[in-house]
Amino acid sequence: HVQLVESGGGSVQAGGSLRLSCAVSGYDALYLCMGWFRQVPGKEREGVAVINRRGTTRYADFVTGRFTISQDHAKKTLFLQMNSLRTEDTAMYYCAATPPGIYPRPPRNKADFAHWGQGTQVTVS
């Protein structure tokens, strides 16, 4: 049973930075695609960034150049470095993992992700 636990959220001023982490347990993260999604109340959960086991990444247009997704297989941890934060980045951020498989390109549709963390709140003012 895959478990995902996010950390690193908080409050920051516009232009600042935060680094989110997601600890993976219950399965070898090497066989999963991982991703970060975010959601604000009343809106659909949207993809932010995804990564496959080889390190291929895909980003939403609204974070390209500002956010960086990375992973440490040895530590079974996923990261999201967020720079130049904007007020519109305020949201609950969720870590997600796909079912085990081979993904030449990491999927971006949230329906492709089977496992979700509880989320960590990011507030930019």
Side-chain angles (χ1 to χ4, degrees), residues 15-18 65-68 81-86 89:
S17 299
L18 282 174
R66 300 189 298 124
F67 292 7
T68 302
Q81 178 66 43
M82 304 187 295
N83 300 327
S84 302
L85 282 161
R86 305 167 180 168
D89 294 319

Side-chain angles (χ1 to χ4, degrees), residues 57-115:
T57 58
R58 302 173 76 183
Y59 293 92
D61 289 343
F62 53 79
V63 302
T64 300
R66 300 189 298 124
F67 292 7
T68 302
I69 188 171
S70 62
Q71 59 193 351
D72 185 328
H73 288 305
K75 295 182 179 180
K76 295 187 177 182
T77 304
L78 179 74
F79 303 100
L80 184 68
Q81 178 66 43
M82 304 187 295
N83 300 327
S84 302
L85 282 161
R86 305 167 180 168
T87 55
E88 54 264 39
D89 294 319
T90 295
M92 184 72 78
Y93 283 72
Y94 296 92
C95 173
T98 62
I102 298 174
Y103 299 87
R105 294 188 75 199
R108 291 201 289 191
N109 192 326
K110 60 181 181 289
D112 293 313
F113 290 77
H115 310 284

Side-chain angles (χ1 to χ4, degrees), residues 38-54:
R38 70 186 189 185
Q39 189 171 21
V40 297
K43 291 191 175 182
E44 290 282 328
R45 190 169 297 188
E46 61 182 0
V48 175
V50 292
I51 187 169
N52 68 5
R53 66 185 185 95
R54 291 190 175 185

